[in-house]
Amino acid sequence: MRARRTITVVGCHAGGEIGNVVVGGVLPPRGETVFEQMQTLSREDDWLRRLLLREPRGSVACHANLIVPPTRPDCDAGFIIMEPTEYPAMSGSNTICTTTVLLETGIVEMQEPESVVRLEAPGGVVEARAACRDGRCESVELTNVASFVEQLDAPLEVEGLGTIAVDVAYGGMWYAIADAHALGFGLEPGEARELSLVGERIRAAAREQLTCVHPDNPAIAGVSIVQLAEPWQGVGQVTRNAVVVAPGRLDRSATGTGLSARMAVLHARGLMRPGDQMTHASVLGTTFDGRIVEETRVAGKTAIVPAIRGSAWITGISQLFVDPDDPFPEGYLLPDTWGVSGLDEQ
């Protein structure tokens, strides 16, 4: 075996969504903050995302998280999220995976019955409270970044669908949220392909027609993800949803940022208040629990602080090699497996 680079990865999934964690073989990118480090990785070292997520080492169904030292003294670790077409500022399932890996591998010391881990995500500081027993991280509740609504019932022209209404909200990523039942979906596993096709069309239309820019960070702009949700079932109840990740495939988990964005919409409509809870179920049937911790403001906008709870499982530890003669040192992608659009960018 020859390797010009060796990368150590802990395999992990939260609710079925793969969120592997890089724990060795990669130095932290340059930057004064984790957000700046993320920008450096995207601009100068995107080979890492391609190597980890593209075939033959990865797939469109994978995410990866790079552990970096925190740039803030009040945090235990930083992490940079890599997804098939972007570097999102925040991700709930990836935070749950990262917290679980940090604790169960001993990178951060586990405390029982509860470990509190403060993480510096590109989008801001996230506090994770992990319920721990017998060396196992049984669940993680993360206090997410402030979430808020940009538009309610925004008209959107979508190819093949005509004009539909979407809510645009920020939950750590910018979402367009549409009514799944109005579009004819029951949110069943057998609909996965068609849900992905429709979701990707909505995403493309929303990026072209709808403007959304985070008021505190203009670099976080544009709808990058779509949620097809059933009508809300009420406080304390389970509501099904399907989140379509670019370039057109279903999130296997109930999606933490999607649940945050949905609660922000429900709060804006007067249907949820601080202290209220709800559960999101994915098409796969896995669930995340959400609650509104408190109301807040973001640049004058009404916002909420959401908390999301879910569980992750470590699936193994692997070392990825790059042989000097490998014809695909950064992998490859083909549109038969790389989502419905075959794109590698937003």
Side-chain angles (χ1 to χ4, degrees):
M1 180 200 76
R2 298 178 305 163
R4 80 174 184 223
R5 183 178 287 274
T6 303
I7 298 173
T8 303
V9 179
V10 178
C12 194
H13 78 86
E17 185 74 349
I18 298 170
N20 296 330
V21 182
V22 178
V23 296
V26 181
L27 293 174
R30 291 180 297 100
E32 297 298 318
T33 65
V34 169
F35 187 84
E36 291 182 4
Q37 292 177 344
M38 178 196 74
Q39 291 179 310
T40 298
L41 195 66
S42 173
R43 185 176 58 250
E44 301 176 9
D45 293 311
D46 193 45
W47 63 267
L48 179 64
R49 180 185 65 88
R50 295 194 292 264
L51 180 144
L52 293 169
L53 302 188
R54 291 180 175 188
E55 295 179 81
R57 299 170 186 84
S59 79
V60 74
C62 293
H63 302 313
N65 302 280
L66 175 63
I67 300 295
V68 296
T71 67
R72 298 171 51 114
D74 60 344
C75 290
D76 299 293
F79 71 113
I80 299 170
I81 309 154
M82 291 169 277
E83 297 196 353
T85 64
E86 64 175 327
Y87 292 80
M90 180 53 191
S91 166
S93 64
N94 282 293
T95 301
I96 294 169
C97 284
T98 298
T99 302
T100 299
V101 168
L102 286 170
L103 291 171
E104 291 195 9
T105 62
I107 297 173
V108 172
E109 184 179 2
M110 179 182 289
Q111 303 291 331
E112 299 185 10
E114 183 180 75
S115 297
V116 179
V117 182
R118 286 179 62 83
L119 296 171
E120 185 182 358
V125 175
V126 178
E127 183 175 275
R129 292 184 172 271
C132 302
R133 184 174 61 178
D134 298 330
R136 160 82 178 123
C137 181
E138 294 185 327
S139 67
V140 175
E141 183 181 76
L142 62 101
T143 303
N144 197 9
V145 296
S147 303
F148 54 91
V149 170
E150 182 69 19
Q151 295 184 67
L152 294 174
D153 295 321
L156 184 68
E157 280 288 330
V158 182
E159 177 187 355
L161 301 178
T163 303
I164 66 170
V166 298
D167 298 325
V168 179
Y170 183 77
M173 303 170 72
W174 282 110
Y175 277 80
I177 304 174
D179 186 328
H181 287 188
L183 295 172
F185 291 112
L187 299 178
E188 300 297 332
E191 298 173 327
R193 184 67 175 175
E194 189 62 28
L195 284 164
S196 296
L197 287 165
V198 169
E200 181 66 3
R201 288 177 189 161
I202 293 173
R203 184 195 68 84
R207 285 190 70 81
E208 181 180 338
Q209 299 172 38
L210 303 175
T211 300
C212 48
V213 179
H214 196 290
D216 291 338
N217 189 341
I220 303 175
V223 168
S224 64
I225 196 164
V226 169
Q227 182 180 143
L228 304 175
E230 76 172 350
W232 187 54
Q233 300 300 297
V235 171
Q237 301 302 307
V238 177
T239 301
R240 296 173 66 84
N241 84 124
V243 167
V244 181
V245 180
R249 63 97 177 163
L250 285 191
D251 192 319
R252 273 63 175 152
S253 77
T255 318
T257 55
L259 179 48
S260 298
R262 186 76 188 279
M263 289 194 295
V265 167
L266 294 169
H267 177 265
R269 293 186 183 279
L271 299 174
M272 287 190 76
R273 297 177 298 178
D276 287 345
Q277 303 181 35
M278 67 173 291
T279 297
H280 252 182
S282 71
V283 170
L284 196 61
T286 56
T287 61
F288 285 164
D289 299 321
R291 64 186 176 92
I292 297 178
V293 177
E294 62 183 0
E295 295 178 355
T296 187
R297 308 284 290 180
V298 175
K301 291 177 177 288
T302 299
I304 64 166
V305 175
I308 307 298
R309 183 168 60 87
S311 298
W313 292 265
I314 291 177
T315 58
I317 298 176
S318 60
Q319 286 189 312
L320 304 182
F321 302 122
V322 180
D323 188 289
D325 294 331
D326 189 333
F328 304 110
E330 296 183 12
Y332 59 85
L333 58 86
L334 290 172
D336 65 332
T337 59
W338 193 258
V340 299
S341 70
L343 298 175
D344 191 33
E345 59 184 15
Q346 281 289 315

